[in-house]
Amino acid sequence: MEQDYARASTRDGEIIELFWQRDERAIRLTADRYGGLCTHVAMNILGNAADAEECVNDTYLKAWNAIPPSRPSVLSAFLIRITRNLALDRFRAKGRLKRREGLTVMLSELGECIPAPEEGGAEELMGHIKTFLAAAEDTDRKLFVGRYFHAYEVGRMAEALGLSPNAVSLRLHRTREKLRVYLQERGYSV
Amino acid sequence: MKKKEIKGLAAFELLGGLDDGMIMESILPEKAPTFSLAPKKRSPFMGFMNSGPGAAVAVTVVAVAVSLSVLAGLVLVGRITGILPPIQELGHDTQAPPTQTRPDIQNGVILPPVAQDPSAESSQLAVLSDGIKVNPKGYCVYISGQQIDADGELVHFDGDGPGAANRLGEIMDEIPSLRTGGNVYTLQLPPGMVARRLRVFAVSQTQPLVFETILDESAETDDAEGLLQHLTELRDGRYIVVLNVFYSSYASENEYKLGEDEYAFSLTVDSFVDPEAPVRIMNGDTTYFLEGYTLEKIYYDAEQKKEIVQKYDGAQGILEEPVGELPTAMVERGDSLFLYLAPFYDLRKVTIFYGDLTRWGEMGYDTPLDDFSTWMEAGDYYFVITAVYLGTGESEILEFPIHIRLVEEPKE
């Protein structure tokens, strides 16, 4: 596992170096290596292959414009974030909410446990959420992040983790409830 | 967009600030994208692109198609499920007829239908939800002494059977029952069988037909998620689902013919999501929902044309506490009372006390509460529900008291 990580890091390092050298092979290698991952992220949010493809292409452009000056330590996470944000922008712009029932359910769930951050308070709120998640059980954290960052469906996570969909729903519910209470204890109104 | 969803969107955006490590550890292995039809339009009654009996088979398959090469049949999925479980887990007989070809619907290409070998065992409808599998051999729709006939009308009858033969079948066995926690509705049809029409009836005398979907040659399809959309929107309650199907069988080597059949099953929907509120009692159209011993009565007000939620504060604890403060479920003679436990709660017993706390007796899991109001005298009762919470490896015994008042006169 550590060797794989080291190899991956090396390959990411090589790709990032190509970005810095403004060598367009960086885009091709990024697409080869992380295109599928980014597509899945976009599809989870947009649910439409054509939109997802555009989103992923925009990701490469954004990455090209961001590196340099950025030198991300984990290229995949860096790309996922870009794709996710682009997908969200496109989602909002096209008013797709009504068509993505699965997503609206997920967003409703999230809206019940995390308050809207006040002006200038996003960083502090995020800090609390990270602290909470870091202390949570591994599986609960993976499920929470899987659902509310990657927008995975319950069924997919259940299958991947060898749990029943019921068990996943129950665990997500409990984690949301604990997070809600955790944030309330820290003065947030949820 | 609802307020909660707007808040959720802001929170979703906020979570973009999570650490790399948390993001990476929660990435699932990539899988082939599931097949779904491109949405054309939404309509109250969903139809499917059907250019003939052949195409109808594969079109119906739609919903969640990844494992079709594994499954012997066609699948409709009521909610997003992702990958279907392999057929071995479903306990089906996976041996396919020798002449069978399976439809290939990957990448949106719909190929000719599966033809059924006439020598194969007669088709059976398997209904799956939350791991429950039912293989009915016949069907006859019974709803507490009423029957839905071929036209969807509720017909009252006396005695044990419906009398004259009817289109819904001549086998008088009780139809299989399905109960779901609202997660996944899965219908699996054998090879060569196509869903043609789906009707859902509520167990109600006023307006039994809840909705109907018809596979129409001229109608366009909606996306896979919307296929059984209505099932996922059903309110908690009991329903009868009647599915009309076409099936094909070989008349000769190069020729097949079509037949038509109907299957029915009862569906109980209860959408427990709150593990702190594991007990729910339903009485007709009214739900008594216990949440931390605070009772909510949920009912539809015809005058205001909306659902009303009334809350009653109740005291915690079992019967040693002042019972007068327990929330009360009003039941009148003739009502059917349904007791539901949330997923992972396993009912052990129901202990019943009279209003003066004299013990009446116990009922085990197999004893239904449905006809409670027919065999108990009017008065006050206390039901103490004893359940074991299984959860994910945990085991905990819990007790929940319910106060039930059985009245003779109709409620005002």
Side-chain angles (χ1 to χ4, degrees), chain A residues 112-115 123-137 144 173-190, chain B residues 14-15 18 22:
Chain A
E112 288 172 356
C113 64
I114 297 181
E123 201 175 322
E124 187 185 338
L125 175 57
M126 194 60 225
H128 287 306
I129 295 172
K130 283 190 211 178
T131 304
F132 170 83
L133 288 174
E137 247 188 77
F144 187 90
H173 174 86
R174 287 184 158 184
T175 305
R176 288 199 307 271
E177 187 56 24
K178 286 181 193 168
L179 176 59
R180 186 180 68 81
V181 170
Y182 181 87
L183 292 175
Q184 277 179 341
E185 286 169 354
R186 279 142 189 83
Y188 290 94
S189 169
V190 186
Chain B
L14 180 75
L15 290 181
L18 283 173
M22 286 186 193

Side-chain angles (χ1 to χ4, degrees), chain B residues 8-283:
Chain B
L9 199 54
F12 187 73
E13 200 165 15
L14 180 75
L15 290 181
L18 283 173
D19 294 336
D20 289 351
M22 286 186 193
I23 293 172
M24 299 311 294
E25 73 170 351
S26 55
I27 292 177
L28 298 180
E30 289 183 22
K31 66 176 179 70
T34 54
F35 171 79
S36 67
L37 297 175
K40 298 288 172 74
K41 65 176 183 184
R42 278 199 181 274
S43 64
F45 295 110
M46 293 166 281
F48 292 85
M49 185 68 74
N50 187 346
S51 59
V57 170
V59 167
T60 305
V61 172
V62 175
V64 182
V66 175
S67 298
L68 270 190
S69 59
V70 177
L71 293 174
L74 311 175
V75 179
L76 305 173
V77 177
R79 268 176 63 166
I80 300 170
T81 63
I83 296 178
L84 291 164
I87 197 162
Q88 302 76 281
E89 290 181 11
L90 305 177
H92 284 270
D93 178 5
T94 60
Q95 189 179 6
T99 57
Q100 176 183 341
T101 57
R102 296 191 178 90
D104 180 356
I105 58 168
Q106 291 178 0
N107 301 317
V109 175
I110 298 174
L111 297 182
V114 173
Q116 193 174 35
D117 184 338
S119 64
E121 194 177 324
S122 60
S123 304
Q124 290 185 337
L125 173 66
V127 178
L128 308 163
S129 174
D130 297 342
I132 301 169
K133 184 184 74 169
V134 175
N135 279 321
K137 291 206 185 305
Y139 53 87
C140 184
V141 181
Y142 275 84
I143 309 173
S144 303
Q146 300 167 341
Q147 181 189 7
I148 293 178
D149 68 7
D151 298 322
E153 298 295 323
L154 277 176
V155 176
H156 296 265
F157 62 93
D158 295 320
D160 294 330
N166 57 83
R167 276 189 64 228
L168 288 180
E170 298 178 19
I171 298 171
M172 298 307 154
D173 294 336
E174 189 172 340
I175 59 170
S177 294
L178 179 68
R179 180 181 162 182
T180 176
N183 281 334
V184 175
Y185 303 91
T186 308
L187 297 179
Q188 183 167 359
L189 300 178
M193 191 171 279
V194 179
R196 180 75 181 86
R197 182 185 184 201
L198 182 78
R199 287 177 291 165
V200 177
F201 301 88
V203 182
S204 162
Q205 294 198 28
T206 53
Q207 193 170 2
L209 183 61
V210 176
F211 74 87
E212 178 178 13
T213 71
I214 300 173
L215 307 185
D216 189 334
E217 284 192 29
S218 60
E220 291 188 325
T221 64
D222 203 329
D223 62 9
E225 293 172 31
L227 175 60
L228 290 178
Q229 174 93 16
H230 289 298
L231 281 188
T232 68
E233 291 174 353
L234 288 174
R235 291 170 51 194
D236 285 3
R238 296 182 78 183
Y239 303 88
I240 303 293
V241 180
V242 181
L243 184 68
N244 288 79
V245 298
F246 280 148
Y247 60 85
S248 59
S249 61
Y250 276 120
S252 67
E253 190 179 6
N254 296 315
E255 201 178 302
Y256 62 87
K257 61 180 180 183
L258 293 179
E260 190 174 349
D261 211 341
E262 266 190 350
Y263 293 86
F265 60 93
S266 76
L267 175 71
T268 302
V269 178
D270 60 84
S271 54
F272 283 108
V273 292
D274 183 356
E276 301 302 323
V279 182
R280 178 173 297 181
I281 289 187
M282 287 187 65
N283 169 15

Side-chain angles (χ1 to χ4, degrees), chain A residues 5-172:
Chain A
Y5 185 76
R7 271 201 289 273
S9 289
T10 304
R11 283 201 285 266
D12 280 359
E14 288 165 358
I15 295 175
I16 292 169
E17 197 49 45
L18 288 172
F19 272 105
W20 273 77
Q21 291 169 11
R22 311 315 283 165
D23 186 333
E24 291 185 6
R25 282 180 297 168
I27 304 290
R28 183 173 54 77
L29 289 172
T30 299
D32 286 348
R33 193 161 162 70
Y34 296 117
L37 186 62
C38 292
T39 302
H40 277 282
V41 169
M43 275 293 290
N44 284 348
I45 295 172
L46 296 169
N48 175 286
D51 285 344
E53 191 182 337
E54 277 189 44
C55 193
V56 171
N57 286 335
D58 289 345
T59 298
Y60 302 144
L61 179 62
K62 279 231 163 190
W64 181 258
N65 291 334
I67 309 172
S70 297
R71 192 177 279 275
S73 51
V74 182
L75 183 58
S76 47
F78 179 79
L79 293 167
I80 285 173
R81 281 204 186 82
I82 295 176
T83 305
R84 194 176 180 269
N85 288 338
L86 287 171
L88 264 178
D89 290 342
R90 186 174 286 264
F91 182 88
R92 278 199 186 96
K94 292 208 170 185
R96 285 292 179 95
L97 198 63
K98 284 191 180 166
R99 296 306 315 257
R100 296 281 293 137
E101 193 207 336
L103 204 64
T104 62
V105 170
M106 183 270 284
L107 292 177
S108 288
E109 290 169 1
L110 204 53
E112 288 172 356
C113 64
I114 297 181
E118 290 174 4
E119 190 77 28
E123 201 175 322
E124 187 185 338
L125 175 57
M126 194 60 225
H128 287 306
I129 295 172
K130 283 190 211 178
T131 304
F132 170 83
L133 288 174
E137 247 188 77
D138 284 354
T139 303
D140 289 337
R141 182 177 56 251
K142 283 179 193 168
L143 287 174
F144 187 90
V145 176
R147 180 93 172 122
Y148 302 118
F149 178 91
H150 295 283
Y152 290 132
E153 294 155 7
V154 167
R156 188 171 166 204
M157 289 196 293
E159 205 232 349
L161 296 174
L163 298 169
S164 73
N166 259 354
V168 170
S169 295
L170 200 64
R171 289 185 90 134
L172 281 170

Side-chain angles (χ1 to χ4, degrees), chain B residues 284-299:
Chain B
D285 292 331
T286 303
T287 306
Y288 295 92
F289 181 80
L290 294 186
E291 181 176 353
Y293 305 132
T294 298
L295 183 69
E296 285 184 353
K297 180 179 169 182
I298 304 170
Y299 64 96

